[in-house]
Amino acid sequence: MSRTSIRSLPLSLLQLCELRALLLEGCSYLKELPPLEGLCKLQVLDLSATGIRELPRGMKNLSNLKQLNLSGTEYLKTIQAGIIPRLSCLEVLDMTKSAYRFSVNRDVQEEMTCFEELKFLKRLLVLYIGLERIPCFSNEDISSIDRLRQFYFSVGPTGEFFPNKYEKRMVSIWGLDLRSEEGIGPLLSNASSLDLRHCSGLSDMLEDLVINSVVCFAGLKSLTIRSCSS
Ligand SMILES: *[C@@H]1O[C@H](CO)[C@@H](O)[C@H](O)[C@H]1NC(C)=O
Ligand SMILES: *[C@@H]1O[C@H](CO)[C@@H](O)[C@H](O)[C@H]1NC(C)=O
Ligand SMILES: CC(=O)N[C@H]1CO[C@H](CO)[C@@H](O)[C@@H]1O
């Protein structure tokens, strides 16, 4: 039903328990969905560029879901905590240009999902998300980033996405003071494309990284620095 002007789906959707894919890309008038808990065989859910404000009820039951596309969900501001960890088969989570930005442990809002919940997704291969800040990575997190085939982390309070389509491991940072982001090393050392804009504290951050020699930028192929101060 992609790119149609449907405004709602029938409640009987609940009964389609053999359904494998529900594709609603670009249904921009669709602001909410009926509960999905009956669709326990669903593997692909594409809600990209829909008008949803929050995830449908019953998402927790979609334990076979492999792909969840929430890109361009510009009204999606709420994702309850506890849903993401239940999607244990998830391989692809695309939230490019979604309004939802993950908080990190330093400023948890308990009712909402945060970056730490993504650690439960042991099969994740592709992850495109916005983050409010740079997380402090534990060794366990680093190995889970290493396992990702593709990622895009758009980091910063405002949430700008500039995907560089040619690269598979992208980090863009907009409007942060990099001096206060001591966890930045692992993210940078795994990136193949790095885009820094409107950031301060750049030279302090780099000096720190060199002194502590945690980062070698071995995989870096593309570097953009714009409107940053040292
Ligand atoms: C959904 O999950 C809840 C508990 O997690 C369970 O009680 C309920 O039966 C499930 N619903 C369906 C339709 O499988
Ligand atoms: C998600 O949907 C958008 C279209 O809305 C598409 O361009 C993008 O490739 C999809 N993401 C994935 C990972 O398939
Ligand atoms: C693919 C890649 O570059 N992986 C690196 C990610 O970061 C950790 C820690 O800095 C390195 O050990 C990996 O080699």
Side-chain angles (χ1 to χ4, degrees), residues 139 142-143 145-146 148 151 169 185-191 214-219:
N139 286 337
I142 291 171
S143 63
I145 292 183
D146 243 359
L148 293 175
F151 61 71
R169 304 161 82 89
L187 203 54
L188 299 195
S189 59
N190 279 281
V214 281
V215 180
C216 58
F217 297 102

Side-chain angles (χ1 to χ4, degrees), residues 126-215:
V126 176
L127 176 63
Y128 301 141
I129 55 166
L131 289 165
E132 287 172 355
R133 305 195 46 181
I134 293 166
C136 279
F137 291 100
S138 66
N139 286 337
E140 186 198 346
D141 303 339
I142 291 171
S143 63
S144 57
I145 292 183
D146 243 359
R147 200 187 53 229
L148 293 175
R149 261 191 237 144
Q150 297 186 23
F151 61 71
Y152 181 25
F153 296 114
S154 158
V155 191
T158 54
E160 307 287 340
F161 277 88
F162 317 98
N164 177 350
K165 290 281 182 202
Y166 303 104
E167 292 306 335
K168 295 197 159 157
R169 304 161 82 89
M170 302 182 284
V171 178
S172 65
I173 305 178
W174 175 286
L176 284 186
D177 181 357
L178 300 172
R179 270 171 298 234
S180 55
E181 303 293 334
E182 66 277 1
I184 198 167
L187 203 54
L188 299 195
S189 59
N190 279 281
S192 55
S193 156
L194 180 58
D195 194 323
L196 301 174
R197 302 194 195 190
H198 300 278
C199 290
S200 55
L202 189 59
S203 46
D204 282 352
M205 183 269 286
L206 287 173
E207 218 168 277
D208 243 33
L209 291 181
V210 172
I211 291 168
N212 300 321
S213 63
V214 281
V215 180

Side-chain angles (χ1 to χ4, degrees), residues 42-60:
L42 201 68
Q43 296 184 0
V44 181
L45 179 57
D46 188 346
L47 297 175
S48 63
T50 59
I52 56 164
R53 266 77 178 154
E54 54 188 345
L55 292 184
R57 271 187 295 140
M59 280 293 289
K60 282 185 183 173

Side-chain angles (χ1 to χ4, degrees), residues 4-186:
T4 56
S5 38
I6 46 163
R7 286 165 196 271
S8 62
L9 288 166
L11 259 174
S12 54
L13 192 68
L14 252 171
Q15 289 154 19
L16 302 179
C17 54
E18 292 294 324
L19 200 68
R20 305 298 156 104
L22 181 56
L23 308 178
L24 297 164
E25 181 212 327
C27 296
S28 51
Y29 298 106
L30 194 63
K31 294 184 180 151
E32 59 182 343
L33 275 79
L36 299 184
E37 70 239 26
L39 309 186
C40 54
K41 293 193 179 157
L42 201 68
Q43 296 184 0
V44 181
L45 179 57
D46 188 346
L47 297 175
S48 63
T50 59
I52 56 164
R53 266 77 178 154
E54 54 188 345
L55 292 184
R57 271 187 295 140
M59 280 293 289
K60 282 185 183 173
N61 291 63
L62 304 186
S63 54
N64 289 305
L65 197 66
K66 291 187 177 163
Q67 294 185 28
L68 177 57
N69 196 335
L70 297 170
S71 73
T73 46
E74 50 188 303
Y75 304 102
L76 179 64
K77 300 242 164 81
T78 311
I79 298 182
Q80 302 289 326
I83 297 175
I84 299 246
R86 300 284 292 276
L87 305 177
S88 56
C89 286
L90 205 64
E91 293 172 1
V92 178
L93 176 59
D94 186 348
M95 296 183 66
T96 315
K97 296 188 174 152
S98 170
Y100 192 82
R101 307 185 67 67
F102 286 78
S103 59
V104 299
N105 51 358
R106 277 171 287 179
D107 34 28
V108 204
Q109 292 166 282
E110 295 206 355
E111 296 127 52
M112 302 265 237
T113 189
C114 58
F115 180 72
E116 283 64 34
E117 287 201 334
L118 294 168
K119 289 178 202 166
F120 294 95
L121 304 179
K122 301 286 183 206
R123 298 196 190 168
L124 206 58
L125 298 172
V126 176
L127 176 63
Y128 301 141
I129 55 166
L131 289 165
E132 287 172 355
R133 305 195 46 181
I134 293 166
C136 279
F137 291 100
S138 66
N139 286 337
E140 186 198 346
D141 303 339
I142 291 171
S143 63
S144 57
I145 292 183
D146 243 359
R147 200 187 53 229
L148 293 175
R149 261 191 237 144
Q150 297 186 23
F151 61 71
Y152 181 25
F153 296 114
S154 158
V155 191
T158 54
E160 307 287 340
F161 277 88
F162 317 98
N164 177 350
K165 290 281 182 202
Y166 303 104
E167 292 306 335
K168 295 197 159 157
R169 304 161 82 89
M170 302 182 284
V171 178
S172 65
I173 305 178
W174 175 286
L176 284 186
D177 181 357
L178 300 172
R179 270 171 298 234
S180 55
E181 303 293 334
E182 66 277 1
I184 198 167

